[in-house]
Amino acid sequence: MEKPIAFIDLGAQRDLIRDRIDAAIARVLDHGAFIMGPEIAEFERQLSAFGGAQHTLSCASGTDALALPLMAWGLRPGEAVFCPSFTFAATAEVVAWLGATPVFVDVDEATFNLDVPSLKAAIEETLAGGKLVPKVVIAVDLFGQAADYPAIRALCDEYGLKLISDAAQGFGSTLHAKMSNVWADVVATSFFPAKPLGCYGDGGAIQTDDGALHAVMDSLRIHGKGEDRYDNVRIGMNARMDTIQAAILIEKLAIFPAEIEARNRVAARYNEALGPVATPQALADGIVSTWAQYTIRVPAARRDALASALKEKGVPTAIYYPKPLHRQTAYKHFPVAGNGLPVSDLLAGEVLSLPMHPYLDETTQDRIVDAVVSSLAGMPA
Ligand SMILES: *Cc1c(COP(=O)(O)O)cnc(C)c1O
């Protein structure tokens, strides 16, 4: 039996920067400022420089990073937020938290990202329905690929909507060398350990060029603080990032650009070998993805059999996402664009994600590719 293959090998990255991580954690233990210590401001400064954003606010999770701007804008019941159904639950969850209504939009069959005609239809239908007031669009950078921000921004401007980039998977992805903050009012990301830029626990961040919005989110992050933390001017929450996580992220951010390049080398080899036998997620023109996941489509009748065959051969896979949100118990009563979301339903049956991380060597990658090709060849058409 060959060495088991990791779906995401966080250990390889840890071993590479172990000394620097240990030293960074030790510095926090020494100074003892576990909450809002000096690494927080330093990490926020570095992340602003990385993203070319005016302001960065670190926070406790990617979910909080989505909730804070909605809270700051005063989102409330009777208001609609448009988002894809083919995403992780947090995207829509934060909308429902605030009593507002997520309106589910379909995705593009090739890129898996928000489908612009479906978004336009959803906005028009919501306006025609007269019950909900359109307010915000949340676009998701699925599997690491920036959404079609120029087109989405144009629609937001046409209808007077705010735009959040849910970059939990695609933070660092570029479209014609620009990150999503060029188009979005707010970029929200997650540092959950398995995300392309992850910490060693929960964490998140919000970027914006809107100084007034940043100031309100800064207050909301610490219980709605005013002049100081015992002067509360609004209802907030506890959404701070731990200092230790910021210290770890400073070390991880230093190698992040090289890791994005490495992920793109892995993806390019996968595309070349698997393009002829399966349908990999397509990238739109001008995209550099962060490849949070490398995902192929195979006919639904073969997908689960392929996953089992790969498991037999020691190749782990995952299905993101087996059920779109509009099919889930907690979300199925919310409105959907048009008469349903056929592409989201189709993709849920066909997608399969393969091992992907920056330290996937070519020998292991070839083993994975051979396993996919031989398993598919052995299946009835
Ligand atoms: C991971 C993820 C989130 C939530 O991030 P957490 O840090 O786990 O709260 C939100 N949206 C998307 C698309 C994600 O993949």
Side-chain angles (χ1 to χ4, degrees):
M1 184 70 189
E2 287 166 283
K3 173 170 163 280
I5 296 171
F7 186 69
I8 296 180
D9 190 354
L10 290 171
Q13 183 203 51
R14 179 201 55 211
D15 294 347
L16 185 71
I17 54 171
R18 181 76 192 232
D19 294 349
R20 278 173 278 160
I21 295 276
D22 283 344
I25 294 174
R27 280 195 296 276
V28 179
L29 294 189
D30 286 341
H31 69 54
F34 301 116
I35 300 292
M36 299 307 282
E39 286 83 357
I40 291 287
E42 177 57 21
F43 174 60
E44 289 174 342
R45 191 190 63 71
Q46 290 190 13
L47 207 67
S48 291
F50 175 85
Q54 296 283 319
H55 305 280
T56 297
L57 192 80
S58 63
C59 61
S61 70
T63 306
D64 286 350
L66 290 166
L68 283 164
L70 297 177
M71 287 171 78
W73 287 327
L75 187 77
R76 42 195 197 99
E79 297 181 334
V81 175
F82 303 89
C83 67
S85 173
F86 194 58
T87 179
F88 182 63
T91 310
E93 182 180 35
V94 291
V95 177
W97 268 4
L98 298 171
T101 303
V103 178
F104 292 117
V105 174
D106 215 352
V107 291
D108 179 84
E109 193 175 333
T111 66
F112 308 170
N113 273 336
L114 207 54
D115 180 61
V116 175
S118 176
L119 174 60
K120 189 175 170 73
I123 298 168
E124 286 288 350
E125 286 159 13
T126 303
L127 286 169
K131 287 196 195 118
L132 296 169
V133 184
K135 283 286 173 180
V136 179
V137 173
I138 304 179
V140 176
D141 299 343
L142 203 73
F143 305 153
Q145 167 167 220
D148 185 359
Y149 288 106
I152 297 168
R153 177 79 256 175
L155 269 190
C156 288
D157 289 345
E158 187 182 337
Y159 292 97
L161 309 179
K162 301 280 193 197
L163 174 57
I164 296 179
S165 161
D166 179 348
Q169 300 174 16
F171 185 73
S173 168
T174 54
L175 173 57
H176 301 300
K178 295 182 182 118
M179 292 195 204
S180 59
N181 61 359
V182 167
W183 298 279
D185 298 289
V186 168
V187 177
T189 192
S190 163
F191 304 121
F192 181 82
K195 308 282 177 172
L197 179 58
C199 58
Y200 289 145
D202 277 310
I206 305 154
Q207 297 199 308
T208 185
D209 287 348
D210 180 341
L213 176 69
H214 175 257
V216 176
M217 294 191 297
D218 183 41
S219 160
L220 287 169
R221 174 176 65 171
I222 306 183
H223 305 292
K225 71 183 162 86
E227 287 300 303
D228 64 60
R229 89 180 88 149
Y230 301 113
D231 168 40
N232 305 98
V233 297
R234 53 178 67 79
I235 305 296
M237 54 205 246
N238 174 1
R240 294 173 298 236
M241 171 182 281
D242 291 340
T243 308
I244 283 182
Q245 300 303 343
I248 290 161
L249 281 162
I250 289 169
E251 303 307 326
K252 293 225 197 176
L253 182 61
I255 58 168
F256 188 46
E259 289 189 340
I260 295 176
E261 282 179 26
R263 286 173 184 272
N264 275 280
R265 281 194 296 275
V266 172
R269 287 185 90 243
Y270 267 147
N271 279 343
E272 208 181 309
L274 297 177
V277 295
T279 310
Q281 178 190 24
L283 295 191
D285 276 350
I287 288 278
V288 175
S289 174
T290 57
W291 296 107
Q293 303 297 341
Y294 182 84
T295 305
I296 56 173
R297 281 171 63 192
V298 290
R302 295 173 139 202
R303 195 262 311 269
D304 293 352
L306 176 60
S308 322
L310 290 174
K311 194 173 173 199
E312 292 272 295
K313 294 172 179 160
V315 177
T317 60
I319 296 171
Y320 300 115
Y321 295 92
K323 235 188 202 190
L325 294 181
H326 74 288
R327 299 279 178 204
Q328 298 200 19
T329 308
Y331 296 97
K332 63 184 175 211
H333 60 288
F334 291 119
V336 300
N339 298 318
L341 307 178
V343 180
S344 301
D345 287 333
L346 177 78
L347 291 177
E350 295 191 347
V351 286
L352 190 66
S353 300
L354 302 178
M356 164 55 83
H357 58 85
Y359 307 98
L360 188 63
D361 62 70
E362 296 194 352
T363 313
T364 309
Q365 193 181 14
D366 291 344
R367 246 182 88 194
I368 296 164
V369 165
D370 290 347
V372 174
V373 172
S374 63
S375 301
L376 282 174
M379 281 178 200

